[in-house]
Amino acid sequence: MNAREGALRVLYDVEVNEAYSNIALNKELKQYKYSQLDKGFLTELVYGVLENVIYIDHVIKQFSSVKLKKIHPYTLILLRLGIYQILFLDKIPASAAVNESVNLAKKYNKQTSGFVNAILRNTIRNDKAIKMPDKEKETVKYLSITYSHPEWMVEQFLKHFSLDFTEELLKANNETPELNLRVNTLKISVDECIKLLKEQGFEVQQNPYIKEALTLNNVTSLQDFQLLKEGYLYIQDFGSMLIARVMDPKEEDFIIDVCSAPGGKTTHMAQLMKNKGKILARDVHDHKLKLIKKNAKTLGINIIKTEAFNGKELDENLIDMADGVLVDAPCSGFGIIRRKPEIKYRKKPDDLKEITEMQLEILVKASKYVKPKGYLVYSTCTVEPSENIGIIERFLANNDKFKLVNVGKEYSDLIPGEPQGETVQLYPNTHKTDGFFIAKLQRK
C-alpha cells in the first residue's frame, strides 16, 4: 500500500470531514496493510503537513495564481504533501515527491495533474526565494506563518507570555511528542514490565518523577502490541498521570470523575486505590462511556461505575458524598496541539469565552459533591490562563468553603522543572510534556 496515498486519504478525512488526526490515522492503518517503514512514513507525512499547514499554504500562494479556496481539496492536499516533502524531508528526493504527487493527482483529480506538477517544480526552483514577513515589523504574522499557528492564537499567547517564550512554545507545539505509557501495577510491577519491554527490543526510560510512567523510543506502531492489548500498559502522557497523583485517592475512597472520558485519569485513580473503593465516572456521551468500560475491563478494574450525566447539571443525590471530585474540564486544548495539530485551525477566538463559562459552571456544580475535608481537583490540557488560574480565582471569590492546597509544595517530588506555586502549569517547551494545569482545593 502506498504511504503517500494513505496520507492523502487521512488528510482529506481531517480537512473535509473534520476527523481527528489520530482517529483518522488509526482507521487508515487498520484498514490497509502497510510495512513498518511505510507506517512510519505515512505518520510523518500526516503530522508533518498538519503541523505546517499555514506555512505550506503561504508557499502555495506565492507560486499559484489560483486562490486556495478555489483549489479542489484533493489537489490542495497533494500540493501540501508535495511541498512538505520538498522543503522538510531531506531524505526524500524532490523528483520523487513531484512524480508521486502528480500520479496521485491523475487518480484523484485528473485535470489538475499539470497544475500540481507546475507548482511543485516551481517550489523546487525557487525554494530559496520564498518571501517571509519581517520579524521585527510584522511579529505576529511572522510567528503565525513560521510556526503555522493562526494569528489570533499567537496574539493570545503574546498577551500572557514573552516573545521568546511564545516562540519556544509555538516551536514545541510542532515537535513530535514522546510516547508515554503507564504501567498498570494492578497486573504487573514496574520493574517486571520494564524487563519485558527490554526483552522485546524496546528502548525504555522510566520517568524520574512518576515511577509508573515510562517512555518508549523509536516505536512506529502499537497496533499489535500485546502488553497494551492485555492491559499491562496504558497510553497516557506524563502530565495527564500527574493529575491522578495530585488527586492522591486512598483505598476505599468514593471518587467522582465528572468529565471522565476516555478514562485515563479514572483508571489511574482506580490503580492508585488498588482497585478498592468506588469511582463514579461520568460523561455526556454514551459512546465515550463505553470506551471507559472497555479500558477498565482490559486493565482489570472493577470499581468504576459509568453514568451518562451532564456536568453542568447538579445531582442532588450526591451532595456532600465524595471524598474526592475530579473536574478534568473540557477546554481549548492548547496544551495538546503537538498531539492534535488540527486544534490550531479549528478553534476560534470566540470559543474561549464560551468555554470558560462552562468550565466555571461545571466546577461550581462539582464542588457540591465534596464532603467536608474532601478534595476537589480541577485540571485542563491547556496553557491559556483564563481557563486555568482564572477559573480558580473566580471560583474561590464566591466559594469560601474551599481553600487551595499548595500543590507545588505538597507534590514537589512529582513535578519536573522549576518549583511551582499553589497551582501547577506544565508547558511543552519547558517541561517536555503536554500542557496541563492542575489545582487542588480542600473543603474546609
Side-chain angles (χ1 to χ4, degrees), residues 7-52:
L8 172 63
R9 280 193 293 262
V10 173
L11 289 167
Y12 184 88
D13 202 12
V14 173
E15 175 86 11
V16 177
N17 302 324
E18 295 198 341
Y20 285 112
S21 55
N22 58 331
I23 294 170
L25 182 60
N26 286 336
K27 186 173 119 188
E28 176 70 23
L29 294 175
K30 278 182 185 174
Q31 195 168 344
Y32 300 97
K33 285 191 176 180
Y34 289 96
S35 67
Q36 286 299 108
L37 200 65
D38 279 343
K39 282 178 183 176
F41 185 38
L42 195 162
T43 302
E44 184 172 24
L45 288 174
V46 167
Y47 284 109
V49 168
L50 287 174
E51 284 158 5
N52 296 285

Side-chain angles (χ1 to χ4, degrees), residues 49-156:
V49 168
L50 287 174
E51 284 158 5
N52 296 285
V53 163
I54 293 175
Y55 176 77
I56 293 170
D57 285 356
H58 175 74
V59 173
I60 295 171
K61 285 176 193 171
Q62 294 194 25
F63 300 125
S64 170
S65 56
V66 182
K67 291 192 182 296
L68 291 183
K69 287 180 182 176
K70 298 254 176 112
I71 301 174
H72 189 280
Y74 275 125
T75 306
L76 180 59
I77 292 164
L78 281 170
L79 286 173
R80 287 170 177 168
L81 279 164
I83 289 171
Y84 175 70
Q85 291 169 75
I86 291 163
L87 299 181
F88 289 86
L89 298 183
D90 295 336
K91 62 188 178 187
I92 304 294
S95 56
V98 175
N99 294 338
E100 291 288 338
S101 299
V102 170
N103 288 338
L104 286 169
K106 287 174 182 174
K107 181 175 177 180
Y108 283 85
N109 197 21
K110 193 172 183 180
Q111 66 269 32
T112 62
S113 60
F115 174 68
V116 169
N117 185 56
I119 298 293
L120 296 184
R121 292 198 181 280
N122 226 342
T123 304
I124 294 168
R125 282 193 297 269
N126 300 291
D127 67 327
K128 299 290 187 287
I130 295 165
K131 294 173 187 169
M132 290 292 287
D134 185 284
K135 187 176 180 180
E136 301 300 321
K137 294 177 184 173
E138 297 178 283
T139 305
V140 171
K141 197 170 184 181
Y142 170 84
L143 292 173
S144 170
I145 292 170
T146 303
Y147 300 105
S148 285
H149 285 64
E151 288 187 25
W152 75 267
M153 197 177 285
V154 174
E155 287 171 348
Q156 191 68 20

Side-chain angles (χ1 to χ4, degrees), residues 161-397:
F161 313 124
S162 70
L163 175 58
D164 286 347
F165 188 93
T166 297
E167 188 164 10
E168 286 169 11
L169 177 59
L170 299 176
K171 189 178 178 183
N173 281 345
N174 288 345
E175 290 171 356
T176 304
E178 292 177 331
L179 174 61
N180 294 153
L181 297 129
R182 187 183 86 232
V183 179
N184 178 17
T185 50
L186 297 173
K187 284 194 170 187
I188 191 170
S189 73
V190 175
D191 289 343
E192 184 63 25
C193 190
I194 291 171
K195 187 183 169 198
L196 277 175
L197 287 166
K198 286 182 176 176
E199 283 172 0
Q200 291 176 22
F202 289 102
E203 288 180 36
V204 191
Q205 288 174 295
Q206 185 177 12
N207 190 281
Y209 301 98
I210 295 178
K211 63 181 181 181
E212 65 269 29
L214 305 181
T215 301
L216 291 196
N217 300 317
N218 304 324
V219 180
T220 51
S221 173
L222 289 170
Q223 270 186 293
D224 303 313
F225 191 21
Q226 281 304 115
L227 288 176
L228 207 55
K229 282 183 175 179
E230 292 169 10
Y232 292 97
L233 288 165
Y234 184 91
I235 298 172
Q236 190 176 10
D237 184 72
F238 168 84
S240 176
M241 288 186 234
L242 184 58
I243 293 164
R245 284 303 210 101
V246 168
M247 172 56 84
D248 201 13
K250 310 301 181 194
E251 292 177 37
E252 305 304 338
D253 272 358
F254 172 43
I255 305 291
I256 303 172
D257 190 346
V258 298
C259 309
S260 59
K265 300 167 194 74
T266 317
T267 55
H268 192 194
M269 288 190 292
Q271 179 180 323
L272 295 174
M273 292 161 70
K274 297 187 169 59
N275 202 28
K276 294 173 184 175
K278 182 183 173 186
I279 298 178
L280 178 60
R282 287 178 155 180
D283 201 88
V284 288
H285 302 291
D286 282 327
H287 70 279
K288 290 187 176 181
L289 292 170
K290 283 177 185 172
L291 189 56
I292 297 169
K293 282 183 188 174
K294 184 185 172 187
N295 286 332
K297 188 178 178 183
T298 303
L299 295 164
I301 293 165
N302 58 22
I303 65 166
I304 297 170
K305 179 190 174 187
T306 59
E307 200 170 76
F309 196 85
N310 190 330
K312 293 192 287 183
E313 296 171 10
L314 179 66
D315 187 342
E316 301 276 354
N317 297 318
L318 291 176
I319 291 174
D320 296 345
M321 295 289 286
D323 297 287
V325 176
L326 173 60
V327 179
D328 185 45
C331 69
S332 63
F334 290 169
I336 54 169
I337 286 172
R338 59 191 195 143
R339 293 189 191 279
K340 294 180 180 175
E342 63 274 13
I343 285 171
K344 294 190 283 187
Y345 318 115
R346 291 187 184 166
K347 296 293 179 185
K348 300 289 181 286
D350 294 342
D351 292 346
L352 286 178
K353 185 171 188 340
E354 192 178 325
I355 286 171
T356 52
E357 293 311 311
M358 177 173 61
Q359 288 164 339
L360 184 60
E361 190 176 358
I362 292 172
L363 185 61
V364 169
K365 295 288 182 359
S367 70
K368 310 288 186 193
Y369 308 142
V370 183
K371 62 169 64 167
K373 294 190 178 179
Y375 293 97
L376 175 65
V377 171
Y378 175 80
S379 63
T380 69
C381 56
T382 186
V383 297
E384 168 57 42
S386 66
E387 298 178 71
N388 295 338
I389 190 63
I391 295 294
I392 295 301
E393 287 171 348
R394 289 171 67 187
F395 174 80
L396 288 173

